Amino acid sequence: MVHTSPFSVGGFAWQIRIFPDGPDEENKGNVALFLHCTTANHLVKVKARFLIEGQPSPVVYEHTFPANCISEMPSGVAFPNRSEFMKSLTDNKLRVGIEFVGVTEVNEVHVTLSEPTSYPTVCVTPFEDLSGCPWVLKTLQASKLKLKLDQNEKTTTGLMEFYHRHVIWNATLVAPSADDCSMNIPLNTKGSLIGYFGENWSDADVIKSDVAIEDLTVDDNLYRTDVDDGYDRYSYISLHVEILSNHLLYKTPAPSPTGDRERKLLYSARKDRTQLHLKYQELLRHKTALESKCHNLERERSRLGFNNQQQNIEDDDDVTKEEIVPDFTKLLFDLMNDLSRRATLKSKQPSLESDKSHRPYRPPTITEKEMNKKYHEYRSDFSQLVKDCRLKPSKSATLQQKVDEIHQQMIEYIETKSGIRITKTVVSGSLGTDTCSSNRIDVDLHIFSPNFPRNGHVMWLPSLIMGLKCLLEDGSNEGKLEHLSQFTCSSYSVQMLAYGEIEVDIYPSYDWQHQINDVITTTSSQPSSGGGYDGFYEELLRQRTSENLCWFSPDAAELQKSFIFEQPEQVKTVIRVVKQWRNEVDWKEYKWRPPSYLLMLLVVRAYENTLHDNTSYRNIIKHFIKLVLSTSAHKPARMRISWSRFYDPDDYNIEYSGSESSRDSPPIVQDPANPANNVAERPISWIPFRRNVQLWANRLMKDVVVDNKKLTGKI
């Protein structure tokens, strides 16, 4: 086999391969020519014919070369190598060439098929063409399949004034499992489609195909691909979107009588927007300069106040601790910057962003065989399950003593080393709420201080978390906090292990109930709200995004603990059972694992649902399972759970993001202490949660009915 040097056509590299004595035994004795694609990183459709001694071959070959795969055209030219034609060659040299009739880039787009019960549905699928230009393919899944090429927000970024993109395109439905290209279905038989795309406007043709959506939902359909990734199942179809042309044009594509007026209005709006942006940037610079001046003045005031109070200490030894602590409101930011810098130098991770995964996930040690044996005993003796989930009284007392000891040591060390004025602490978590299971021991320590800003957590809390982590590590290395080890951190808390068995999380929060006479400088442009939880709820109403609202969740820890702690002993016992089951399931990663607070609230609601029936442990667990499984997506609307213990839910009816028809849309479980917190948004998906709850129901009991479907005892 011999081949030509690589040459480039249409952005791809090609070669002509020549087999003087045939490519295989069947074609031995013939000269064979093939077109070969050497560096294709994109789907490409080719129409070409060979030239032999300047004469074109009678057949035009058509082939689609796959992406990221070195491939050659399956059809070629062959003729006997001992024919009269070969003998007539000059100098015994064969001159060959290739004439490209067309080279078209092809983009393979996978369109997810929606559930038949949710039709009609619009699916938006993004992709990039060969030049890197981003697009989206919108598909309307109704009785027939309809397609439209539309622009991404970055498609027209950087275009000059009055320029737009002119695109010619087409689409084909392909059969991935078929080797024959004749099985592919052209979705448009009326010629190529044209689209015009400018800044904030578009005008593109729509493909109205004859493909019925119902035919694609039939099992073993040739054009459908089924995917099961372990947590979710879905199906998609493969479409080849051909970009035949992509050029920039000047002026509008279709002038109209009102076109000039519209262009003038558009130009005026852009000019006003540019001026507003410049004014906004100038105001930001002034704001930064003023904040810098205030920062320096506050540092100087804190330094002078600290020196004066130190002088007073020398004159009077009876001064209380509250009187000698200076105002560290602004000085705290210097501390955080220094501690964050030290932590970055000492840690292997360059920043906190690489350490957001919490403590390393540890899968359960119990085997499937051992678990089946245990649940076989539990089905016959349910009281044994309740007994196995509870800690022994002696061990519980020992753990509580250890928590009190390490709690006091950490608070004293943080106040001494950092100067943070801690006005209140709340011990929650499993040990703090008396809901600890026997297979996992955890405690949450919330430290409240008026020195922390009220809002703007994304600006200061991650740095403070990293600084506290470094501070506590130093205390452990110095021997003052010798019982602490395995320090990690997330965006919200510092995490560690105490006495080798207790998982400890520290959450810094602003103390909303502490009365401060000084004016508090906040990071928000909003006016300061009042003190107490009324001020806390008013601040929540000012926040507009769920991302901002998540930062305020630890601020309500005292009310959250009170709500769980005041529940009857039956509820706490079932919470221990549910936590025991959760800890025995292998969730693969922390993001799939339901948090303890969510499980507690669901058990409380399950108990409330049993008040009209009987409140036995078995019945409460049965209602808990039914409550979780009833959140599946076929419901007409998302389930909403709320309580009126600390506020009226009608006054804080905050809606949450997510589509009502989404298959993985979580329910709404409104935090009884924080109306803006939807506890059900963690875990990130309820599909594995419901699946494991259903498996637990199969193991534990045989009489759970959900939506008129009875779960059997078989796994």
Side-chain angles (χ1 to χ4, degrees), residues 411 422 424-425 445-449 452 468 506-509:
I411 296 303
I422 300 177
K424 182 176 62 177
T425 60
L445 175 60
H446 297 263
I447 58 175
F448 295 87
S449 173
F452 301 145
L468 287 177
I506 299 181
Y507 295 87
S509 303

Side-chain angles (χ1 to χ4, degrees), residues 407-466:
H407 167 215
Q408 188 65 29
Q409 291 178 357
M410 283 194 293
I411 296 303
E412 291 179 356
Y413 187 81
I414 292 175
E415 285 186 316
T416 303
K417 292 295 185 179
S418 67
I420 299 175
R421 180 172 41 164
I422 300 177
T423 54
K424 182 176 62 177
T425 60
V426 174
V427 180
S428 61
S430 296
L431 285 175
T433 56
D434 192 23
T435 59
C436 186
S437 61
S438 61
N439 58 359
R440 180 174 179 264
I441 305 168
D442 65 279
V443 63
D444 296 339
L445 175 60
H446 297 263
I447 58 175
F448 295 87
S449 173
N451 295 145
F452 301 145
R454 297 187 179 200
N455 46 29
H457 297 74
V458 70
M459 302 296 295
W460 61 269
L461 185 56
S463 297
L464 176 62
I465 292 295
M466 229 179 158

Side-chain angles (χ1 to χ4, degrees), residues 12-52:
F12 299 94
W14 309 91
Q15 282 183 341
I16 300 177
R17 289 190 171 184
I18 306 172
F19 295 85
D21 197 24
D24 48 36
E25 290 294 331
E26 183 179 352
N27 294 283
K28 189 173 183 180
N30 293 323
V31 178
L33 306 178
F34 292 93
L35 178 63
H36 184 74
C37 185
T38 60
T39 60
N41 57 1
H42 210 81
L43 279 168
V44 56
K45 184 177 180 181
V46 175
K47 287 185 179 180
R49 58 182 173 184
F50 292 94
L51 301 176
I52 304 174

Side-chain angles (χ1 to χ4, degrees), residues 290-292 294-302 327-337 451-453 519-523:
L290 290 175
E291 287 180 347
S292 178
C294 292
H295 180 73
N296 294 332
L297 291 174
E298 192 66 27
R299 287 179 57 189
E300 184 65 20
R301 187 177 72 86
S302 298
D327 184 5
F328 284 91
T329 303
K330 288 298 181 181
L331 186 61
L332 178 61
F333 287 96
D334 291 337
L335 170 68
M336 289 189 297
N337 291 333
N451 295 145
F452 301 145
V519 177
I520 300 177
T521 304
T522 65
T523 58

Side-chain angles (χ1 to χ4, degrees), residues 597-638:
Y597 191 46
L598 172 63
L599 298 179
M600 293 179 184
L601 296 181
L602 293 176
V603 171
V604 171
R605 178 47 54 95
Y607 169 75
E608 294 171 351
N609 293 340
T610 63
L611 292 178
H612 66 281
D613 190 3
N614 71 83
T615 57
S616 64
Y617 296 143
R618 182 187 293 271
N619 199 32
I620 297 175
I621 294 177
K622 184 191 303 183
H623 278 75
F624 167 79
I625 295 173
K626 292 172 64 176
L627 186 65
V628 174
L629 297 184
S630 64
T631 61
S632 57
H634 62 265
K635 290 290 178 182
R638 286 190 291 178

Side-chain angles (χ1 to χ4, degrees), residues 268-281:
S268 177
R270 290 176 178 172
K271 185 177 180 180
D272 293 341
R273 185 181 66 178
T274 302
Q275 292 177 351
L276 289 175
H277 181 71
L278 292 175
K279 290 183 179 179
Y280 176 71
Q281 295 294 333

